Amino acid sequence: MAVTIATAANALKILFLEALRNQLNVNTNPLYNEIAQSTRNVVGKEVRKMAPYGLNGGFGAGTEDGELPASGGNQYIQFISTLKNLYGTIEISDKSIKASASNAGAFVQLLNDELKMLLKSSQFNLSRMLFTDGTGKLTTCAVNTTTNVLTVDSVQYLMEGMTIDILNSSGQPISGGAGLRILGVDRAQNKIRVSASVTTANTDFITVQNSYNLELTGLGAIFKTTGNLYGVDRSQHYWMIPHIKDSVGSISDVKIQSVIDYLEDIMGSKVNCLVASPGVRRAYQAYLERTKRNVNTLELKGGFSAIAYVDKPLIKDRFVNAGEMIALDTKQFTIHHMGDWEWLEEDGRILTKVPKHPIWTATLVRYAELICDHPGGQGKLTGITEDTAAAQ
């Protein structure tokens, strides 16, 4: 069978789409798997959700023949947030298509190779978004003068191959700073090598291409203690502020439990998941070893595993800030969306030609937003002394 653009598009839709959906929805991140997904509360381009808080005010004691308690009713506030547009794009040269036109197996392998890299990039960025604040800010630049080797504050959220923008403090691209590729990451020195020389100030920052202020509202936004979240002013609604225990020092079960107890006893949450930086998880493992206890593990959905803290999974994630452990009631989180991942179509076509270039492109898309119904019911320990043993 000769390979054509039409058969290639059919292969993307019929052979690969369901597998991509499964990989993105199940194998991206263990925390991602703990969060429910729903099309409810999507109104137009927004999520509009009524969130209950506090107690019903209709309870009271009284005399045998006195007045009954007045009905208090439940308290609700409306959360409003824009659905985020999540895209993943592949490109295939016209020459590659023609070279494999008479060999369907070779063409399937060509598509498979492209989609593997798309999947890797999408999973990396979806995982990162869970833990960042929706601005898309990846790191801040140091002062760098006419060079393509840039010193930055952190490379935690950076990876070779990413296409990035360097923006000034006003959110505008610096000269030559739009659409750069990261060619190398020096993780020991907090430096990156990019595809062109630029000059940066120490107020400039890096985002994924075209993504500034357009990413999912992740835990970085939920764990802020001031400002608005989902259109609600935290200064007027204290229950929107998560519980944060600072300067923890050495980790222990008692310190973890103190946060869980507060969330469950005061805020009414049911903590069912702990997420820690790699160094914090190692520190907790070392604590278990010092106290001569077994390190028990739990098998999670998607083939992931975690240390067991009592009956709760303690997950390691590279995108958790150093020295931090997060305590979550994941039942309070939902990824609201218009539908599952789909190929973007133009006049019924999945593969479209890039104008003035011999390249065909296809884009995977999902419109979604992460909402936490009870931000104050989530907790975090910071300033934990990490185990700094290098990975072997």
Side-chain angles (χ1 to χ4, degrees):
M1 179 184 68
V3 173
T4 65
I5 294 300
T7 56
N10 285 337
L12 287 174
K13 195 166 189 176
I14 297 170
L15 292 180
F16 292 103
L17 181 57
E18 195 58 39
L20 281 171
R21 285 173 172 170
N22 183 68
Q23 290 291 319
L24 287 169
N25 292 334
V26 178
N27 298 105
T28 289
N29 183 284
L31 176 58
Y32 192 85
N33 291 342
E34 296 294 321
I35 299 173
Q37 303 196 25
S38 175
T39 56
R40 296 181 61 189
N41 304 114
V42 174
V43 180
K45 299 178 181 179
E46 296 178 328
V47 180
R48 290 177 172 263
K49 190 170 190 179
M50 299 302 294
Y53 66 97
L55 299 176
N56 182 299
F59 179 84
T63 63
E64 182 176 348
D65 57 355
E67 190 172 323
L68 295 172
S71 174
N74 296 329
Q75 298 185 103
Y76 293 91
I77 196 164
Q78 187 175 58
F79 289 166
I80 301 174
S81 192
T82 303
L83 287 169
K84 304 308 187 291
N85 313 316
L86 309 177
Y87 301 115
T89 300
I90 61 169
E91 290 185 347
I92 307 171
S93 71
D94 188 66
K95 185 176 182 180
S96 296
I97 294 173
K98 286 182 168 54
S100 56
S102 59
N103 187 333
F107 187 73
V108 167
Q109 186 59 49
L110 172 67
L111 286 180
N112 193 54
D113 291 343
E114 289 292 326
L115 294 173
K116 277 183 179 178
M117 296 310 295
L118 170 63
L119 181 63
K120 182 178 180 180
S121 176
S122 299
Q123 289 176 328
F124 177 90
N125 283 291
L126 284 171
S127 296
R128 175 185 57 76
M129 285 187 206
L130 284 179
F131 295 94
T132 49
D133 65 1
T135 64
K137 183 177 177 179
L138 305 178
T139 191
T140 301
C141 298
V143 174
N144 298 282
T145 304
T146 318
T147 178
N148 73 330
V149 178
L150 308 179
T151 300
V152 295
D153 280 357
S154 169
V155 296
Q156 180 181 12
Y157 303 134
L158 303 179
M159 183 65 74
E160 292 86 351
M162 293 176 74
T163 303
I164 59 170
D165 295 332
I166 304 178
L167 308 181
N168 61 26
S169 57
S170 299
Q172 300 301 311
I174 66 170
S175 177
L180 298 173
R181 293 294 298 275
I182 296 179
L183 306 178
V185 179
D186 184 342
R187 293 171 176 84
Q189 302 295 322
N190 279 345
K191 294 182 178 182
I192 58 173
R193 184 165 58 88
V194 296
S195 53
S197 293
V198 292
T199 295
T200 68
N202 60 6
T203 53
D204 297 338
F205 58 93
I206 293 175
T207 69
V208 172
Q209 59 177 331
N210 305 318
S211 297
Y212 183 46
N213 282 333
L214 297 174
E215 295 192 344
L216 293 175
T217 304
L219 293 175
I222 292 165
F223 275 92
K224 289 181 178 177
T225 57
T226 59
N228 289 359
L229 178 66
Y230 313 134
V232 178
D233 186 352
R234 290 183 177 94
S235 69
Q236 302 299 314
H237 297 275
Y238 308 128
W239 62 273
M240 293 283 291
I241 300 174
H243 177 58
I244 302 176
K245 185 178 180 66
D246 295 315
S247 304
V248 171
S250 58
I251 194 64
S252 70
D253 286 340
V254 171
K255 292 177 180 179
I256 297 171
Q257 194 61 45
S258 69
V259 171
I260 294 174
D261 287 347
Y262 178 88
L263 295 174
E264 294 185 346
D265 296 342
I266 306 301
M267 302 307 296
S269 291
K270 297 294 182 184
V271 173
N272 61 356
C273 184
L274 302 168
V275 193
S277 70
V280 167
R281 188 185 71 165
R282 291 194 301 269
Y284 184 67
Q285 286 178 285
Y287 162 75
L288 293 178
E289 291 174 0
R290 285 195 305 272
T291 54
K292 302 188 184 305
R293 286 181 292 163
N294 293 329
V295 180
N296 297 319
T297 59
L298 298 172
E299 297 301 317
L300 307 177
K301 183 179 179 182
F304 298 103
S305 62
I307 293 176
Y309 171 81
V310 191
D311 58 343
K312 301 171 180 61
L314 196 169
I315 300 166
K316 172 209 71 170
D317 200 289
R318 63 170 292 177
F319 297 117
V320 177
N321 291 331
E324 293 188 356
M325 179 185 291
I326 305 170
L328 301 173
D329 178 355
T330 62
K331 302 298 183 186
Q332 301 285 351
F333 290 79
T334 305
I335 295 174
H336 295 273
H337 58 89
M338 283 187 176
D340 210 339
W341 294 93
E342 296 283 357
W343 291 110
L344 192 64
E345 295 190 23
E346 180 181 334
D347 298 326
R349 295 173 298 168
I350 293 173
L351 277 166
T352 57
K353 187 175 176 298
V354 177
K356 298 183 180 181
H357 293 275
I359 294 172
W360 296 87
T361 182
T363 300
L364 201 62
V365 61
R366 196 180 200 194
Y367 306 108
E369 173 64 312
L370 176 65
I371 298 287
C372 175
D373 293 351
H374 188 13
Q378 318 308 317
K380 180 163 65 173
L381 298 89
T382 73
I384 301 170
T385 303
E386 291 201 332
D387 182 296
T388 57
Q392 299 299 314

